[in-house]
Tab-separated table of all heavy atoms in Angstrom:
chain	number	residue	atom	x	y	z
A	1	ASP	N	-11.043	53.434	-31.028
A	1	ASP	CA	-10.350	54.157	-29.961
A	1	ASP	C	-11.311	54.971	-29.096
A	1	ASP	O	-10.910	55.522	-28.077
A	1	ASP	CB	-9.235	55.043	-30.520
A	1	ASP	CG	-9.701	55.992	-31.604
A	1	ASP	OD1	-10.583	55.606	-32.395
A	1	ASP	OD2	-9.180	57.118	-31.660
A	2	ASP	N	-12.604	54.998	-29.444
A	2	ASP	CA	-13.586	55.685	-28.620
A	2	ASP	C	-14.223	54.748	-27.587
A	2	ASP	O	-15.037	55.185	-26.777
A	2	ASP	CB	-14.668	56.329	-29.484
A	2	ASP	CG	-15.373	55.336	-30.391
A	2	ASP	OD1	-14.854	54.213	-30.584
A	2	ASP	OD2	-16.436	55.677	-30.924
A	3	MET	N	-13.845	53.478	-27.599
A	3	MET	CA	-14.366	52.525	-26.617
A	3	MET	C	-13.798	52.863	-25.242
A	3	MET	O	-12.659	53.306	-25.121
A	3	MET	CB	-14.003	51.091	-27.007
A	3	MET	CG	-14.545	50.656	-28.369
A	3	MET	SD	-16.339	50.668	-28.476
A	3	MET	CE	-16.743	49.189	-27.601
A	4	THR	N	-14.579	52.650	-24.199
A	4	THR	CA	-14.131	52.986	-22.846
A	4	THR	C	-13.629	51.768	-22.071
A	4	THR	O	-12.932	51.916	-21.085
A	4	THR	CB	-15.266	53.649	-22.035
A	4	THR	OG1	-16.374	52.746	-21.972
A	4	THR	CG2	-15.686	54.965	-22.676
A	5	LYS	N	-13.982	50.575	-22.535
A	5	LYS	CA	-13.560	49.339	-21.869
A	5	LYS	C	-13.254	48.276	-22.912
A	5	LYS	O	-13.803	48.300	-24.006
A	5	LYS	CB	-14.648	48.806	-20.936
A	5	LYS	CG	-14.955	49.719	-19.769
A	5	LYS	CD	-15.932	49.063	-18.822
A	5	LYS	CE	-16.292	49.956	-17.671
A	5	LYS	NZ	-15.232	50.228	-16.761
A	6	ILE	N	-12.380	47.350	-22.532
A	6	ILE	CA	-12.112	46.169	-23.332
A	6	ILE	C	-12.100	44.983	-22.371
A	6	ILE	O	-11.721	45.127	-21.206
A	6	ILE	CB	-10.785	46.291	-24.126
A	6	ILE	CG1	-10.689	45.191	-25.183
A	6	ILE	CG2	-9.575	46.319	-23.195
A	6	ILE	CD1	-9.575	45.418	-26.213
A	7	GLN	N	-12.563	43.842	-22.844
A	7	GLN	CA	-12.611	42.657	-22.016
A	7	GLN	C	-11.667	41.603	-22.559
A	7	GLN	O	-11.340	41.617	-23.749
A	7	GLN	CB	-14.043	42.089	-21.967
A	7	GLN	CG	-15.030	42.969	-21.243
A	7	GLN	CD	-15.501	44.180	-22.037
A	7	GLN	OE1	-15.464	44.200	-23.255
A	7	GLN	NE2	-15.967	45.209	-21.348
A	8	ARG	N	-11.253	40.702	-21.665
A	8	ARG	CA	-10.382	39.631	-22.116
A	8	ARG	C	-10.713	38.344	-21.394
A	8	ARG	O	-11.200	38.327	-20.272
A	8	ARG	CB	-8.920	39.989	-21.960
A	8	ARG	CG	-8.414	40.038	-20.538
A	8	ARG	CD	-7.586	38.790	-20.271
A	8	ARG	NE	-6.965	38.868	-18.983
A	8	ARG	CZ	-7.236	38.040	-17.983
A	8	ARG	NH1	-8.138	37.121	-18.105
A	8	ARG	NH2	-6.606	38.133	-16.847
A	9	LEU	N	-10.465	37.253	-22.097
A	9	LEU	CA	-10.571	35.913	-21.530
A	9	LEU	C	-9.168	35.346	-21.474
A	9	LEU	O	-8.423	35.425	-22.450
A	9	LEU	CB	-11.453	35.027	-22.400
A	9	LEU	CG	-12.888	35.501	-22.598
A	9	LEU	CD1	-13.596	34.606	-23.608
A	9	LEU	CD2	-13.632	35.510	-21.280
A	10	GLU	N	-8.817	34.759	-20.345
A	10	GLU	CA	-7.508	34.117	-20.194
A	10	GLU	C	-7.719	32.626	-20.331
A	10	GLU	O	-8.560	32.046	-19.646
A	10	GLU	CB	-6.914	34.430	-18.824
A	10	GLU	CG	-5.601	33.727	-18.574
A	10	GLU	CD	-5.030	34.030	-17.207
A	10	GLU	OE1	-5.255	35.127	-16.669
A	10	GLU	OE2	-4.355	33.143	-16.659
A	11	PHE	N	-6.950	32.019	-21.224
A	11	PHE	CA	-7.104	30.585	-21.413
A	11	PHE	C	-6.065	29.801	-20.623
A	11	PHE	O	-6.391	29.092	-19.706
A	11	PHE	CB	-7.078	30.224	-22.888
A	11	PHE	CG	-8.319	30.668	-23.603
A	11	PHE	CD1	-8.240	31.324	-24.802
A	11	PHE	CD2	-9.573	30.454	-23.073
A	11	PHE	CE1	-9.392	31.739	-25.462
A	11	PHE	CE2	-10.727	30.863	-23.713
A	11	PHE	CZ	-10.626	31.499	-24.920
A	12	THR	N	-4.809	29.911	-20.964
A	12	THR	CA	-3.756	29.234	-20.201
A	12	THR	C	-2.521	30.103	-20.234
A	12	THR	O	-2.240	30.760	-21.231
A	12	THR	CB	-3.388	27.859	-20.794
A	12	THR	OG1	-2.958	28.036	-22.138
A	12	THR	CG2	-4.546	26.894	-20.750
A	13	GLY	N	-1.774	30.122	-19.154
A	13	GLY	CA	-0.510	30.844	-19.127
A	13	GLY	C	-0.601	32.235	-19.696
A	13	GLY	O	-1.173	33.126	-19.087
A	14	THR	N	-0.096	32.408	-20.899
A	14	THR	CA	-0.029	33.738	-21.508
A	14	THR	C	-1.110	33.980	-22.548
A	14	THR	O	-1.165	35.061	-23.133
A	14	THR	CB	1.346	33.931	-22.175
A	14	THR	OG1	1.508	32.941	-23.198
A	14	THR	CG2	2.467	33.832	-21.170
A	15	GLN	N	-1.968	33.015	-22.819
A	15	GLN	CA	-2.950	33.131	-23.905
A	15	GLN	C	-4.170	33.944	-23.486
A	15	GLN	O	-4.802	33.654	-22.474
A	15	GLN	CB	-3.400	31.750	-24.356
A	15	GLN	CG	-2.280	30.885	-24.847
A	15	GLN	CD	-2.730	29.454	-25.058
A	15	GLN	OE1	-3.739	29.011	-24.533
A	15	GLN	NE2	-1.964	28.734	-25.841
A	16	ARG	N	-4.482	34.956	-24.314
A	16	ARG	CA	-5.617	35.835	-24.033
A	16	ARG	C	-6.434	36.072	-25.308
A	16	ARG	O	-5.883	36.154	-26.402
A	16	ARG	CB	-5.154	37.209	-23.531
A	16	ARG	CG	-4.141	37.202	-22.400
A	16	ARG	CD	-4.784	36.836	-21.072
A	16	ARG	NE	-3.921	37.075	-19.933
A	16	ARG	CZ	-3.074	36.190	-19.435
A	16	ARG	NH1	-2.918	35.020	-20.002
A	16	ARG	NH2	-2.357	36.477	-18.350
A	17	LEU	N	-7.720	36.229	-25.131
A	17	LEU	CA	-8.618	36.613	-26.215
A	17	LEU	C	-9.247	37.936	-25.794
A	17	LEU	O	-9.839	38.033	-24.721
A	17	LEU	CB	-9.705	35.553	-26.409
A	17	LEU	CG	-10.597	35.722	-27.623
A	17	LEU	CD1	-9.818	35.363	-28.889
A	17	LEU	CD2	-11.822	34.831	-27.511
A	18	TYR	N	-9.089	38.961	-26.620
A	18	TYR	CA	-9.606	40.304	-26.308
A	18	TYR	C	-10.780	40.641	-27.196
A	18	TYR	O	-10.839	40.238	-28.355
A	18	TYR	CB	-8.516	41.359	-26.524
A	18	TYR	CG	-7.479	41.359	-25.442
A	18	TYR	CD1	-6.361	40.544	-25.530
A	18	TYR	CD2	-7.616	42.166	-24.316
A	18	TYR	CE1	-5.403	40.531	-24.533
A	18	TYR	CE2	-6.669	42.166	-23.315
A	18	TYR	CZ	-5.565	41.341	-23.426
A	18	TYR	OH	-4.631	41.331	-22.426
A	19	GLY	N	-11.691	41.419	-26.635
A	19	GLY	CA	-12.830	41.874	-27.402
A	19	GLY	C	-13.689	42.809	-26.583
A	19	GLY	O	-13.290	43.278	-25.512
A	20	PHE	N	-14.863	43.082	-27.112
A	20	PHE	CA	-15.802	43.993	-26.481
A	20	PHE	C	-17.077	43.230	-26.153
A	20	PHE	O	-17.683	42.627	-27.036
A	20	PHE	CB	-16.108	45.172	-27.401
A	20	PHE	CG	-14.878	45.954	-27.771
A	20	PHE	CD1	-14.357	45.892	-29.047
A	20	PHE	CD2	-14.224	46.734	-26.828
A	20	PHE	CE1	-13.216	46.611	-29.391
A	20	PHE	CE2	-13.081	47.451	-27.155
A	20	PHE	CZ	-12.580	47.392	-28.443
A	21	LEU	N	-17.464	43.250	-24.890
A	21	LEU	CA	-18.673	42.565	-24.448
A	21	LEU	C	-19.835	43.545	-24.471
A	21	LEU	O	-19.820	44.575	-23.806
A	21	LEU	CB	-18.467	42.023	-23.030
A	21	LEU	CG	-19.594	41.184	-22.451
A	21	LEU	CD1	-19.798	39.907	-23.274
A	21	LEU	CD2	-19.299	40.829	-21.003
A	22	GLU	N	-20.813	43.223	-25.284
A	22	GLU	CA	-22.027	44.041	-25.389
A	22	GLU	C	-23.206	43.121	-25.107
A	22	GLU	O	-23.481	42.205	-25.894
A	22	GLU	CB	-22.140	44.650	-26.793
A	22	GLU	CG	-23.383	45.454	-27.019
A	22	GLU	CD	-23.507	46.653	-26.088
A	22	GLU	OE1	-22.487	47.266	-25.718
A	22	GLU	OE2	-24.645	46.974	-25.714
A	23	GLY	N	-23.857	43.341	-23.970
A	23	GLY	CA	-24.918	42.418	-23.558
A	23	GLY	C	-24.305	41.057	-23.289
A	23	GLY	O	-23.366	40.934	-22.520
A	24	ASN	N	-24.813	40.045	-23.961
A	24	ASN	CA	-24.248	38.705	-23.796
A	24	ASN	C	-23.330	38.313	-24.950
A	24	ASN	O	-22.887	37.177	-25.038
A	24	ASN	CB	-25.362	37.671	-23.642
A	24	ASN	CG	-26.134	37.456	-24.931
A	24	ASN	OD1	-26.468	38.413	-25.633
A	24	ASN	ND2	-26.427	36.216	-25.244
A	25	VAL	N	-23.011	39.273	-25.827
A	25	VAL	CA	-22.201	38.971	-27.019
A	25	VAL	C	-20.792	39.522	-26.849
A	25	VAL	O	-20.594	40.716	-26.605
A	25	VAL	CB	-22.853	39.568	-28.293
A	25	VAL	CG1	-21.994	39.270	-29.511
A	25	VAL	CG2	-24.260	39.016	-28.472
A	26	PHE	N	-19.813	38.640	-26.990
A	26	PHE	CA	-18.407	39.002	-26.932
A	26	PHE	C	-17.925	39.185	-28.374
A	26	PHE	O	-17.886	38.229	-29.137
A	26	PHE	CB	-17.606	37.894	-26.239
A	26	PHE	CG	-16.198	38.261	-25.896
A	26	PHE	CD1	-15.877	38.717	-24.628
A	26	PHE	CD2	-15.173	38.128	-26.822
A	26	PHE	CE1	-14.565	39.037	-24.283
A	26	PHE	CE2	-13.871	38.452	-26.499
A	26	PHE	CZ	-13.559	38.908	-25.227
A	27	HIS	N	-17.597	40.421	-28.731
A	27	HIS	CA	-17.116	40.740	-30.078
A	27	HIS	C	-15.598	40.572	-30.079
A	27	HIS	O	-14.878	41.414	-29.541
A	27	HIS	CB	-17.507	42.170	-30.466
A	27	HIS	CG	-18.983	42.364	-30.549
A	27	HIS	ND1	-19.671	42.271	-31.734
A	27	HIS	CD2	-19.913	42.613	-29.586
A	27	HIS	CE1	-20.958	42.474	-31.509
A	27	HIS	NE2	-21.129	42.675	-30.207
A	28	VAL	N	-15.128	39.486	-30.650
A	28	VAL	CA	-13.712	39.130	-30.628
A	28	VAL	C	-12.916	40.102	-31.493
A	28	VAL	O	-13.305	40.408	-32.623
A	28	VAL	CB	-13.507	37.688	-31.128
A	28	VAL	CG1	-12.030	37.330	-31.202
A	28	VAL	CG2	-14.266	36.706	-30.244
A	29	VAL	N	-11.778	40.580	-30.944
A	29	VAL	CA	-10.892	41.483	-31.680
A	29	VAL	C	-9.511	40.855	-31.865
A	29	VAL	O	-9.007	40.805	-32.980
A	29	VAL	CB	-10.761	42.848	-30.966
A	29	VAL	CG1	-9.782	43.763	-31.696
A	29	VAL	CG2	-12.119	43.522	-30.843
A	30	TRP	N	-8.901	40.382	-30.778
A	30	TRP	CA	-7.514	39.900	-30.862
A	30	TRP	C	-7.310	38.566	-30.176
A	30	TRP	O	-7.859	38.304	-29.111
A	30	TRP	CB	-6.563	40.885	-30.170
A	30	TRP	CG	-6.459	42.225	-30.784
A	30	TRP	CD1	-6.308	42.529	-32.106
A	30	TRP	CD2	-6.460	43.476	-30.101
A	30	TRP	NE1	-6.230	43.879	-32.275
A	30	TRP	CE2	-6.315	44.493	-31.057
A	30	TRP	CE3	-6.572	43.832	-28.757
A	30	TRP	CZ2	-6.273	45.834	-30.727
A	30	TRP	CZ3	-6.528	45.166	-28.426
A	30	TRP	CH2	-6.385	46.158	-29.411
A	31	TRP	N	-6.444	37.751	-30.758
A	31	TRP	CA	-5.895	36.558	-30.118
A	31	TRP	C	-4.454	36.915	-29.733
A	31	TRP	O	-3.627	37.191	-30.595
A	31	TRP	CB	-5.913	35.358	-31.051
A	31	TRP	CG	-5.102	34.208	-30.539
A	31	TRP	CD1	-3.953	33.703	-31.083
A	31	TRP	CD2	-5.368	33.425	-29.373
A	31	TRP	NE1	-3.499	32.662	-30.324
A	31	TRP	CE2	-4.346	32.470	-29.263
A	31	TRP	CE3	-6.369	33.453	-28.400
A	31	TRP	CZ2	-4.301	31.546	-28.233
A	31	TRP	CZ3	-6.322	32.526	-27.371
A	31	TRP	CH2	-5.313	31.594	-27.299
A	32	ASP	N	-4.177	36.919	-28.451
A	32	ASP	CA	-2.872	37.329	-27.928
A	32	ASP	C	-2.219	36.131	-27.227
A	32	ASP	O	-2.369	35.959	-26.018
A	32	ASP	CB	-3.070	38.496	-26.951
A	32	ASP	CG	-1.781	38.988	-26.317
A	32	ASP	OD1	-0.691	38.645	-26.802
A	32	ASP	OD2	-1.885	39.728	-25.320
A	33	PRO	N	-1.477	35.301	-27.962
A	33	PRO	CA	-0.913	34.095	-27.357
A	33	PRO	C	0.261	34.359	-26.422
A	33	PRO	O	0.622	33.496	-25.625
A	33	PRO	CB	-0.469	33.269	-28.568
A	33	PRO	CG	-0.166	34.281	-29.616
A	33	PRO	CD	-1.149	35.405	-29.389
A	34	ASN	N	0.867	35.535	-26.508
A	34	ASN	CA	2.078	35.810	-25.725
A	34	ASN	C	1.916	36.934	-24.709
A	34	ASN	O	2.909	37.515	-24.270
A	34	ASN	CB	3.242	36.113	-26.672
A	34	ASN	CG	3.539	34.940	-27.568
A	34	ASN	OD1	3.635	33.809	-27.111
A	34	ASN	ND2	3.640	35.192	-28.862
A	35	HIS	N	0.667	37.269	-24.373
A	35	HIS	CA	0.385	38.249	-23.323
A	35	HIS	C	1.060	39.599	-23.604
A	35	HIS	O	1.697	40.176	-22.746
A	35	HIS	CB	0.841	37.681	-21.964
A	35	HIS	CG	0.204	38.334	-20.790
A	35	HIS	ND1	0.893	39.155	-19.946
A	35	HIS	CD2	-1.052	38.282	-20.311
A	35	HIS	CE1	0.096	39.578	-18.982
A	35	HIS	NE2	-1.092	39.065	-19.190
């Protein structure tokens, strides 16, 4: 909860992958299929 930003990738329609991008590394946190 001390993070200041979160990033997401949108795949199709409602599907999202959330995580934290540090440098070139995306640290995956959540798979959100229903937005």
Side-chain angles (χ1 to χ4, degrees):
D1 54 324
D2 57 345
M3 300 298 283
T4 59
K5 295 186 182 293
I6 193 167
Q7 292 77 24
R8 71 104 174 116
L9 300 174
E10 177 181 330
F11 289 133
T12 58
T14 61
Q15 301 170 341
R16 310 285 192 270
L17 188 73
Y18 285 88
F20 301 108
L21 185 63
E22 177 61 34
N24 70 317
V25 179
F26 191 96
H27 296 264
V28 176
V29 177
W30 295 314
W31 168 247
D32 179 15
N34 299 313
H35 200 251

